[in-house]
Amino acid sequence: EPEVTQTPSHQVTQMGQEVILRCVPISNHLYFYWYRQILGQKVEFLVSFYNNEISEKSEIFDDQFSVERPDGSNFTLKIRSTKLEDSAMYFCASSEGGAWFNYGYTFGSGTRLTVV
Amino acid sequence: DQQVKQNSPSLSVQEGRISILNCDYTNSMFDYFLWYKKYPAEGPTFLISISSIKDKNEDGRFTVFLNKSAKHLSLHIVPSQPGDSAVYFCAARAITGGTSYGKLTFGQGTILTVHP
């Protein structure tokens, strides 16, 4: 079964450092997402990406965050200057369609980001 | 943001019996609802979904019921198996302003434990 692949599985970084989280979505999918889950809290939407641009973003996704699809397969989330509160599990997801597509979204297994 | 709520943090069920997981929502713009299952250190795995134009959807041991007037949905697992033990998340998607790129709003999750 096709998978969404995320690397690394765990990243530890110093506060103030930049991190890039990487994702390889399913090849025929067109919509890409980042979500995060702070320990003990809900899974929260960060951003959606379609047709090489951000289509929707949450309040969490401020100027410190950016996303990119640098080539035909990778989808990255960059945090420019990490804060302690950025420590969370970050999930990438992809889907064949957006709003009008009734199907499950496929999530990756996540990257655990620890900011120290 | 309490648009999707799962009021039971945990549920314990005997193997072979029915598990009923509940979810309430407040946003009347939600048009599509999904249930995800999550094991520790893994991403959410899609289980089953339902469109707002339906009141029931069944897939094997899993059935989702939607009561739009009560803004309530439930997931029934029959019969429950020890392998079903996981965290179950309810999620919803809204059409906002006539467009949506598929952002999901998640509940807090319910930990299901199925005892042999």
Side-chain angles (χ1 to χ4, degrees), chain A:
Chain A
E1 191 168 323
E3 287 186 342
V4 173
T5 306
Q6 288 188 245
T7 54
S9 56
H10 191 186
Q11 173 135 12
V12 181
T13 188
Q14 294 230 319
M15 194 167 56
Q17 294 295 303
E18 174 183 287
V19 294
I20 298 176
L21 309 183
R22 301 180 193 280
C23 170
V24 179
I26 293 173
S27 60
N28 65 332
H29 283 188
L30 301 176
Y31 294 80
F32 313 112
Y33 310 90
W34 284 100
Y35 287 80
R36 78 173 185 190
Q37 186 181 27
I38 295 171
L39 190 63
Q41 297 187 25
K42 289 186 180 190
V43 176
E44 302 174 290
F45 169 79
L46 291 178
V47 66
S48 60
F49 191 86
Y50 169 70
N51 200 25
N52 284 319
E53 60 183 22
I54 290 173
S55 45
E56 194 171 1
K57 60 183 180 179
S58 72
E59 294 169 354
I60 303 166
F61 195 89
D62 61 21
D63 292 344
Q64 292 300 311
F65 291 86
S66 62
V67 289
E68 202 176 36
R69 190 153 160 83
D71 52 42
S73 59
N74 290 285
F75 179 50
T76 62
L77 174 69
K78 184 195 292 187
I79 309 175
R80 269 182 261 285
S81 176
T82 49
K83 306 191 231 354
L84 294 175
E85 53 265 37
D86 293 328
S87 295
M89 195 77 165
Y90 287 80
F91 295 106
C92 174
S94 68
S95 67
E96 288 183 65
W100 305 107
F101 192 85
N102 289 339
Y103 205 76
Y105 302 56
T106 304
F107 282 81
S109 54
T111 294
R112 178 167 297 286
L113 176 65
T114 304
V115 182
V116 297

Side-chain angles (χ1 to χ4, degrees), chain B residues 2 4 9 16 20 22 33-34 36 59 62 64-66 69 78 83 103 110 115:
Chain B
Q2 292 288 308
V4 179
I20 300 176
N22 294 302
F33 303 89
L34 308 91
Y36 281 86
D59 183 1
F62 302 92
V64 55
F65 295 91
L66 175 63
S69 59
V78 183
K103 167 191 168 183
T110 297
H115 298 283

Side-chain angles (χ1 to χ4, degrees), chain B residues 18-30:
Chain B
I18 184 170
S19 295
I20 300 176
L21 298 125
N22 294 302
C23 179
D24 296 295
Y25 63 95
T26 56
N27 188 344
S28 56
M29 296 298 290
F30 286 144

Side-chain angles (χ1 to χ4, degrees), chain B:
Chain B
D1 179 0
Q2 292 288 308
Q3 295 186 68
V4 179
K5 288 173 70 169
Q6 293 175 255
N7 290 316
S8 299
S10 63
L11 175 68
S12 183
V13 169
Q14 206 68 30
E15 181 179 7
R17 307 294 287 264
I18 184 170
S19 295
I20 300 176
L21 298 125
N22 294 302
C23 179
D24 296 295
Y25 63 95
T26 56
N27 188 344
S28 56
M29 296 298 290
F30 286 144
D31 74 318
Y32 191 58
F33 303 89
L34 308 91
W35 283 94
Y36 281 86
K37 174 180 178 180
K38 186 180 178 304
Y39 294 114
E42 292 186 15
T45 301
F46 171 72
L47 271 179
I48 191 168
S49 61
I50 188 166
S51 165
S52 59
I53 61 173
K54 296 189 172 183
D55 54 20
K56 178 182 172 182
N57 187 27
E58 194 171 347
D59 183 1
R61 296 187 297 116
F62 302 92
T63 303
V64 55
F65 295 91
L66 175 63
N67 182 335
K68 279 186 70 177
S69 59
K71 293 192 173 68
H72 176 84
L73 65 155
S74 60
L75 174 68
H76 293 210
I77 306 174
V78 183
S80 302
Q81 299 171 354
D84 295 330
S85 297
V87 180
Y88 287 77
F89 290 97
C90 167
R93 185 190 70 192
I95 303 294
T96 52
T99 62
S100 170
Y101 292 92
K103 167 191 168 183
L104 297 180
T105 301
F106 282 83
Q108 306 93 314
T110 297
I111 301 170
L112 174 66
T113 305
V114 180
H115 298 283

